[in-house]
Amino acid sequence: MIPDKDFITSKDIPGPTKEEIRCLVMCKSKVSTGDIVVDIGCGTGGLTLEFAKRAKNVYAIDKNSDALDLTLKNLKKHNLEGKVNIVHNDALSALKKIDGLDILMIGGSGGDLEQIIEEGFKKLNDGGKIIVTSILLETPVEAIKILKKFEMNIEVINVAISKGKILERGTIMYSNNPITVITAQK
Amino acid sequence: MIPDKDFITSKDIPGPTKEEIRCLVMCKSKVSTGDIVVDIGCGTGGLTLEFAKRAKNVYAIDKNSDALDLTLKNLKKHNLEGKVNIVHNDALSALKKIDGLDILMIGGSGGDLEQIIEEGFKKLNDGGKIIVTSILLETPVEAIKILKKFEMNIEVINVAISKGKILERGTIMYSNNPITVITAQK
Amino acid sequence: MIPDKDFITSKDIPGPTKEEIRCLVMCKSKVSTGDIVVDIGCGTGGLTLEFAKRAKNVYAIDKNSDALDLTLKNLKKHNLEGKVNIVHNDALSALKKIDGLDILMIGGSGGDLEQIIEEGFKKLNDGGKIIVTSILLETPVEAIKILKKFEMNIEVINVAISKGKILERGTIMYSNNPITVITAQK
Amino acid sequence: MIPDKDFITSKDIPGPTKEEIRCLVMCKSKVSTGDIVVDIGCGTGGLTLEFAKRAKNVYAIDKNSDALDLTLKNLKKHNLEGKVNIVHNDALSALKKIDGLDILMIGGSGGDLEQIIEEGFKKLNDGGKIIVTSILLETPVEAIKILKKFEMNIEVINVAISKGKILERGTIMYSNNPITVITAQK
């Protein structure tokens, strides 16, 4: 994974998704070199860059043009812009123009989670995956409810990671905020 | 418990111990109205105040006179100074002057954990408790090793609490750093 | 707190609520000797017994008569049955017959969370508290949504506790399942 | 990652290391196709198999021949035995016979952690990694102390994962036991 500190950040844009969560999302997505990935709510570009390193093509979508600028800066910094389409649009409109995707990554939905999943499910290739990550209590509950309707195979994990800071007097553990990661396979 | 926000704090002094940890320490200590409590490394005074509300007498000990000043300010703010002896000394010297204690609370040991526990164990009344809280990885391991020598009944818990911030768009969970609480009964 | 192992249990009845969670619920409820407490979904009686030790009067309510029998057995074992009314009824019907309560404890709602909170809120004395504990993802989200409508002061915590087993070769940490505790004050 | 349920297990042999921990270890190790990996205390073979899928060569070492038999069964089940040398020996003796390794994975040390790390460090190629995973409180503290002597760049994370079980009445979260993962680079 790209170290957290190797991303250009902005105080107004969330992210990057922490290294360990990016690692787990890559594992859960089973992304491979032929995959088309759609990353909704790309923010700083943390997951976009990791998918770009592993997939065929990534659509990075955000309503916030500052987020897209930041994602692009990070892609350029790591020489990964070649595989990524930057899409400045709301998720639903953007999804409608894309066919045949393998991984739908939803890191932020702007309140349209149900329509995004419905549209994404239609476009998802067989065996494709929808992944939802959230720091909120509400989003996982809503996502599970929607994904159940499509009779997808759903996995829910909550990840609480703390990191040690090694000082002279000992190792202090600092917690990252817990993240819920939902993975559903078509 | 006294809400975290009701303590006077200082950026140079650790604490107060978060409300939920104070709550658990009070439960584990089984403190009651006749108890003599020694609180080593009192810092902001979080645990000192809670013990003062429930015990007969509390010795608040710290090597740092600024910590003792802050503890005293917090005691006065909550009208609890009557039951507390403020002791500006290293823990071991202070303990040697105290007899017959029921609860030895160790929140910071300044590297003298073994001698503090040895001396505290000698002074501890039958059925008395030694409690060690730590944000470090090393201190719990050291404490367990020492307490095993005294054939005390040892309980170890690690507590990871996250708190919700309720916003318009949902409830974000923020993690407190994990704390290990060790309780040993004589 | 009463140690977990001191409860009579049944494989068909959930609980008892683990010691540390009972401790935190007691702290969050700020239960005192004059309080009337209603405990909905009492199960094994873990929280019922702790409230009985601290409050004036407790109504233990469950739809499952086996749960009430088990709660009663545990109350008798700890000589606490004097303060507790065992109510075999659904929560909503039971609540309608009770006036002026100080603490509404909801450990299980049988799907009627909204009506239970609405009825409980009406009966709650000023300054009274509604507490919801849950092992589910869905219940906290639903509870927050309902409690927001009453403009109550809401606190949400998620508690993850692991306990050490001290063996010859070292201390293994075993996790309890995470519990969400919601506290709302009228 | 290989799903947890796709490993042959034995009640006497620990493991397999859970999927999410295997995922994080693979990320932290930055294993690549030219790497020589030594897996000490291979147990069920969880990490051995994942390294075998990604590295050039893996030495799976265990003092317990039943563990090695089980690892071999799992390697065969997943057609990965070609890249793995099964070594029935204590870790230290086994390490002495191996030159030029890139990743030293220590999942169990049988009390010889210091000598294993010392010998491993000598054999480790520049940029190589030592990874220690543990369910104990003591092992991470000991590992940090040893690794500091070699002036390695040390990272410590503690991972607490809970998994949802989706039922009719909601999603119950079940905790895996917390694991500490230490990564040190030469």
Side-chain angles (χ1 to χ4, degrees), chain C residues 13-131:
Chain C
I13 313 284
T17 302
K18 294 262 188 282
E19 181 192 325
E20 289 80 10
I21 303 297
R22 281 182 276 129
C23 166
L24 288 165
V25 168
M26 291 305 116
C27 290
K28 295 296 182 187
S29 75
K30 295 189 190 291
V31 57
S32 68
T33 51
D35 285 350
I36 307 298
V37 179
V38 174
D39 183 9
I40 290 173
C42 58
T44 300
L47 290 166
T48 304
L49 269 73
E50 299 296 349
F51 279 121
K53 286 166 65 179
R54 293 164 175 84
K56 185 177 172 192
N57 225 314
V58 183
Y59 294 84
I61 300 171
D62 213 298
K63 283 192 283 201
N64 179 348
S65 62
D66 292 342
L68 293 168
D69 288 348
L70 188 57
T71 291
L72 189 56
K73 271 187 202 165
N74 277 307
L75 285 164
K76 284 182 176 165
K77 180 177 174 182
H78 292 89
N79 298 313
L80 290 164
E81 72 271 32
K83 281 182 180 174
V84 179
N85 306 293
I86 298 284
V87 182
H88 184 205
N89 206 340
D90 70 281
L92 198 55
S93 307
L95 258 181
K96 287 190 174 165
K97 294 179 189 156
I98 299 169
D99 287 315
L101 58 111
D102 299 290
I103 296 169
L104 176 61
M105 173 68 228
I106 306 175
S109 64
D112 294 329
L113 192 60
E114 183 151 15
Q115 295 99 309
I116 292 171
I117 290 180
E118 278 178 12
E119 185 66 26
F121 185 81
K122 273 193 243 169
K123 302 297 180 67
L124 203 63
N125 293 328
D126 278 351
K129 289 197 164 66
I130 298 176
I131 299 178

Side-chain angles (χ1 to χ4, degrees), chain A residues 1 19-20 23-24 27-28 30 144 148 154-164 166-167 171, chain D residues 1 19-20 23-24 27-28 30 144 148 154-164 166-167 171 173:
Chain A
M1 296 297 120
E19 180 192 326
E20 289 81 10
C23 166
L24 288 165
C27 290
K28 295 296 182 187
K30 295 189 191 291
I144 292 166
K148 274 165 113 172
I154 309 169
E155 189 203 61
V156 184
I157 63 171
N158 183 275
V159 184
I161 292 205
S162 52
K163 286 207 167 188
I166 300 175
L167 303 174
T171 307
Chain D
M1 295 296 120
E19 180 192 326
E20 288 81 9
C23 166
L24 288 166
C27 289
K28 296 296 181 186
K30 295 188 191 290
I144 292 166
K148 274 166 113 171
I154 309 169
E155 190 203 59
V156 184
I157 63 170
N158 183 275
V159 184
I161 293 208
S162 52
K163 285 207 169 190
I166 300 175
L167 304 174
T171 306
M173 300 305 287

Side-chain angles (χ1 to χ4, degrees), chain B residues 117-129:
Chain B
I117 291 179
E118 277 178 11
E119 185 65 25
F121 184 80
K122 273 192 245 171
K123 302 295 180 66
L124 203 63
N125 294 328
D126 279 351
K129 290 198 163 65

Side-chain angles (χ1 to χ4, degrees), chain A residues 54-105:
Chain A
R54 293 163 175 85
K56 185 177 171 191
N57 225 314
V58 182
Y59 294 84
I61 300 171
D62 212 299
K63 283 192 284 202
N64 180 348
S65 62
D66 292 342
L68 293 168
D69 288 347
L70 188 57
T71 291
L72 188 57
K73 270 187 204 166
N74 277 307
L75 285 164
K76 284 181 177 166
K77 179 177 174 182
H78 292 88
N79 298 313
L80 290 163
E81 73 272 33
K83 282 182 180 173
V84 179
N85 306 293
I86 298 285
V87 183
H88 184 206
N89 206 340
D90 71 280
L92 198 54
S93 308
L95 259 180
K96 286 190 174 164
K97 294 178 189 156
I98 300 169
D99 288 315
L101 59 112
D102 299 290
I103 296 170
L104 175 62
M105 173 67 228

Side-chain angles (χ1 to χ4, degrees), chain D:
Chain D
M1 295 296 120
I2 300 166
D4 292 346
K5 64 177 175 47
D6 289 355
F7 285 89
I8 305 162
T9 59
S10 158
K11 67 177 173 46
D12 299 324
I13 312 285
T17 301
K18 295 259 188 284
E19 180 192 326
E20 288 81 9
I21 304 298
R22 280 182 276 128
C23 166
L24 288 166
V25 168
M26 291 305 116
C27 289
K28 296 296 181 186
S29 75
K30 295 188 191 290
V31 57
S32 68
T33 50
D35 286 350
I36 307 297
V37 179
V38 174
D39 183 9
I40 290 174
C42 58
T44 301
L47 289 166
T48 304
L49 269 73
E50 299 295 350
F51 279 121
K53 287 165 65 179
R54 294 164 175 84
K56 184 177 173 192
N57 225 314
V58 183
Y59 295 84
I61 300 171
D62 212 299
K63 284 192 284 201
N64 179 348
S65 62
D66 291 342
L68 294 168
D69 289 347
L70 188 57
T71 291
L72 189 56
K73 270 187 204 165
N74 277 307
L75 285 164
K76 284 182 176 164
K77 180 178 174 181
H78 293 88
N79 298 315
L80 290 164
E81 73 271 33
K83 282 181 181 175
V84 179
N85 305 294
I86 297 284
V87 183
H88 185 205
N89 206 340
D90 70 280
L92 198 55
S93 307
L95 260 180
K96 287 190 174 165
K97 294 178 190 156
I98 300 169
D99 287 315
L101 59 111
D102 299 290
I103 296 169
L104 175 61
M105 172 68 228
I106 306 175
S109 65
D112 294 329
L113 191 60
E114 183 151 15
Q115 295 98 307
I116 292 171
I117 290 179
E118 278 178 12
E119 185 65 27
F121 184 80
K122 272 192 247 170
K123 303 295 179 66
L124 203 63
N125 294 328
D126 278 351
K129 290 198 163 66
I130 298 177
I131 299 178
V132 180
T133 60
S134 184
I135 56 169
L136 299 176
L137 290 184
E138 287 79 2
T139 301
V141 168
E142 193 187 354
I144 292 166
K145 197 175 159 190
I146 299 163
L147 292 165
K148 274 166 113 171
K149 290 193 301 187
F150 293 102
E151 300 187 358
M152 295 182 85
N153 196 359
I154 309 169
E155 190 203 59
V156 184
I157 63 170
N158 183 275
V159 184
I161 293 208
S162 52
K163 285 207 169 190
K165 185 168 182 175
I166 300 175
L167 304 174
E168 189 63 37
R169 67 185 179 105
T171 306
I172 303 183
M173 300 305 287
Y174 290 97
S175 293
N176 290 345
N177 293 329
I179 306 269
T180 304
V181 180
I182 295 174
T183 312
Q185 184 161 21
K186 189 170 183 174

